[in-house]
Amino acid sequence: MPKINLLLLCGGGGAEHDISLMSVKFFESSLAKSDKFSVLRLELDKQGHYKTQDGKVCELTNRREVRFEDDAIAAWPVDYVIPCIHGYPAETGDIQSYFNLIQLPYFGCESEASSNCFNKITAKMWFSALGVPNTPYIFLHQFDDEAIAQTEAAFDKWGSLFIKAASQGSSVGCYKVDNKTDIADILKEAFGYSPYVIVEQTIVARELEVAVYEYQGEVVATKPGEIVCDSNNFYTFDEKYATNSKAKTYIEAINISDDISDQIRAYAIKAFKGLKLRHLSRIDFFLTADNQILLNEINTFPGLTPISMFPKMLQHHGHDFSTYLTQIIESQLS
């Protein structure tokens, strides 16, 4: 039986480009465990150019093949693609739209679901529509005096808040505000990342994460894992990925009742199915001291770095990532 020509994309040129380069190594090692795949890895830069690991320039054409700038190199037909790109253009749904246009099968959520989850405002509207509780918020569409006044009023009501660029990942463009005088400057900075900004009430709570994925036709939600940040910090980009991060992760959260765990998992599956997610996601929740559960956000292409929670929670649940990935690919190509 011929091998499946699998295109492994990484990079993207955005704020999470380097994180993607770490995650793609996990896919390479997982795919290497099977003899069913012939893998070509390409890195995408911010200009939209592809290159191989040894620097050869190429492009992915509408004929579903990789064509090289050097005409002496034969075109490489593509059967399947894994867009291992965090943030734009994969988690935003842009690159999936192109795959759909050229009818190229791919791993992960489809374009509309990706876009809906990546935009924090759209996502929260969906959470509410599905009946999944989430944090109180206001929505801002431009930086002006009215936006500053709205945010200051929210600060007076809530005492502390988060200002977040609506379309960024890995806590990029995300700011905790404890001083009212900082609001104008922080809003201006957040609008530099996105044309829309969301302002949320600060929730003092435990940060829990659930790996949700499709396995043999069923949607699986693992028991919640937990992120414990140093002091009173939140899970910033540096706390996620810096080698000297003081954040601690637990594959399975402790001191949580079965009832609370089951409710969180039920909400996670409800969000996964309701938003029409596909293959995988990491769904993050807050759990307050009085056991209030609030959905924080959905990551449609979670990190797969050495410290990332998704692969660890999947394995802890009793599943092998390589086996899981292979059955997803084969089910789409059958």
Side-chain angles (χ1 to χ4, degrees):
M1 184 175 179
K3 289 189 176 185
I4 296 168
N5 275 6
L6 191 149
L7 181 62
L8 192 52
L9 298 182
C10 60
E16 300 174 81
H17 183 103
D18 291 342
I19 308 307
S20 169
L21 300 188
M22 289 192 281
S23 289
V24 79
K25 294 177 182 178
F26 187 85
F27 275 106
E28 287 179 315
S29 62
S30 298
L31 293 165
K33 295 177 182 179
S34 171
D35 61 0
K36 297 180 179 181
F37 306 108
S38 176
V39 179
L40 175 63
R41 170 179 163 180
L42 298 182
E43 183 176 334
L44 177 65
D45 65 23
K46 64 173 57 178
Q47 285 77 38
H49 300 149
Y50 294 101
K51 64 179 180 180
T52 64
Q53 287 179 271
D54 57 358
K56 293 184 176 67
V57 178
C58 53
E59 61 179 338
L60 174 60
T61 75
N62 58 8
R63 296 182 178 181
R64 300 192 296 276
E65 62 184 13
V66 174
R67 296 188 65 87
F68 294 88
E69 192 175 68
D70 184 348
D71 293 335
I73 304 175
W76 197 80
V78 180
D79 299 313
Y80 192 88
V81 60
I82 298 178
C84 180
I85 299 173
H86 305 307
Y88 176 81
E91 284 186 276
T92 58
D94 292 87
I95 204 165
Q96 289 88 346
S97 293
Y98 179 63
F99 298 153
N100 290 337
L101 181 66
I102 66 174
Q103 300 180 43
L104 176 60
Y106 58 92
F107 179 70
C109 295
E110 296 193 70
S111 55
E112 186 174 11
S114 299
S115 176
N116 285 338
C117 289
F118 195 74
N119 186 302
K120 295 177 176 63
I121 296 165
T122 308
K124 288 179 74 65
M125 294 172 72
W126 269 102
F127 302 161
S128 297
L130 292 168
V132 179
N134 55 92
T135 54
Y137 74 100
I138 62 171
F139 152 60
L140 305 174
H141 64 90
Q142 62 185 15
F143 177 64
D144 56 16
D145 290 342
E146 183 179 353
I148 295 170
Q150 286 182 271
T151 307
E152 288 177 342
F155 184 91
D156 291 339
K157 180 180 179 181
W158 296 330
S160 174
L161 47 81
F162 276 90
I163 293 175
K164 301 178 180 180
S167 299
Q168 288 291 327
S170 285
S171 301
V172 175
C174 179
Y175 311 89
K176 187 172 186 289
V177 182
D178 292 316
N179 297 306
K180 189 174 179 178
T181 55
D182 295 335
I183 285 174
D185 288 341
I186 290 176
L187 277 179
K188 184 177 181 180
E189 192 165 344
F191 271 106
Y193 285 102
S194 171
Y196 308 103
V197 165
I198 189 168
V199 178
E200 292 181 325
Q201 180 182 358
T202 297
I203 303 297
V204 179
R206 298 171 68 176
E207 296 187 41
L208 307 178
E209 300 186 345
V210 179
V212 188
Y213 54 96
E214 293 178 286
Y215 196 86
Q216 296 181 347
E218 298 292 329
V219 177
V220 175
T222 67
K223 290 183 177 180
E226 184 167 11
I227 305 294
V228 180
C229 296
D230 183 48
S231 301
N232 193 33
N233 199 3
F234 74 98
Y235 207 30
T236 63
F237 185 92
D238 288 340
E239 283 291 296
K240 284 180 170 73
Y241 302 116
T243 55
N244 62 347
S245 171
K246 295 181 181 180
K248 296 179 180 179
T249 59
Y250 298 90
I251 299 172
E252 185 175 333
I254 58 176
N255 298 325
I256 291 180
S257 70
D258 289 342
D259 287 345
I260 293 295
S261 177
D262 290 345
Q263 182 62 76
I264 290 172
R265 296 169 75 186
Y267 280 144
I269 290 175
K270 188 174 187 179
F272 189 97
K273 291 182 176 180
L275 277 152
K276 306 296 183 185
L277 307 187
R278 190 177 73 161
H279 299 163
L280 80 169
S281 67
R282 195 196 69 238
I283 304 184
D284 301 346
F285 291 87
F286 292 130
L287 178 64
T288 67
D290 59 356
N291 286 332
Q292 183 183 19
I293 300 167
L294 299 169
L295 201 163
N296 179 27
E297 64 180 6
I298 295 177
N299 190 316
T300 55
F301 208 98
L304 295 162
T305 72
I307 63 171
S308 295
M309 293 282 278
F310 181 90
K312 294 178 181 179
M313 289 190 289
L314 182 147
Q315 184 177 18
H316 183 67
H317 195 76
H319 292 146
D320 174 73
F321 189 88
S322 181
T323 302
Y324 149 75
L325 182 61
T326 299
Q327 62 96 12
I328 289 285
I329 296 169
E330 289 185 325
S331 68
Q332 285 183 268
L333 296 179
S334 62

